[in-house]
């Protein structure tokens, strides 16, 4: 993992990209007993076009919101 110091905070950001392309970002916080996780994508309300395996795709508006709800099932 790459280690990046965050200026003026005393915190460190760890980052790594997995073999499948998933980018991991982690900022440990030892001051609390709980943790949280977020999933962020480069896909959303105005970003509905993407390329996968060299093929272009365009999805209808609302697809990202629908997928967001499926995440919690």
């Amino acid at each position: 993992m790459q280690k990046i110091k965050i200026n003026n905070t005393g915190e460190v950001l760890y980052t790594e990209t997995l073999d499948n392309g998933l980018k991991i970002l982690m900022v440990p916080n030892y001051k609390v007993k709980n943790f949280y996780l977020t999933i962020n994508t480069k896909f959303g309300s105005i970003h509905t076009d993407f390329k996968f395996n060299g093929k272009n795709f365009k999805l209808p508006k609302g697809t990202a919101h629908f997928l967001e709800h499926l995440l919690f099932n």
Side-chain angles (χ1 to χ4, degrees):
M1 287 193 130
Q2 182 181 0
K3 184 178 178 179
I4 302 168
K5 291 182 181 179
I6 302 173
N7 292 337
N8 302 321
T9 65
E11 295 180 335
V12 177
L13 168 71
Y14 295 92
T15 180
E16 184 161 340
T17 302
L18 302 180
D19 293 338
N20 63 5
L22 181 66
K23 186 172 185 177
I24 306 294
L25 302 169
M26 181 176 64
V27 179
N29 184 348
Y30 301 105
K31 299 174 187 172
V32 297
K33 292 183 180 182
N34 54 356
F35 69 94
Y36 68 93
L37 171 81
T38 64
I39 298 174
N40 303 296
T41 64
K42 294 180 182 180
F43 181 77
S45 60
I46 62 170
H47 301 99
T48 57
D49 301 342
F50 66 97
K51 184 182 274 190
F52 181 72
N53 285 340
K55 187 175 178 184
N56 291 320
F57 294 89
K58 180 169 179 65
L59 296 176
K61 292 180 180 179
T63 302
H65 187 78
F66 173 72
L67 293 173
E68 178 185 15
H69 283 274
L70 289 180
L71 182 67
F72 297 107
N73 273 346

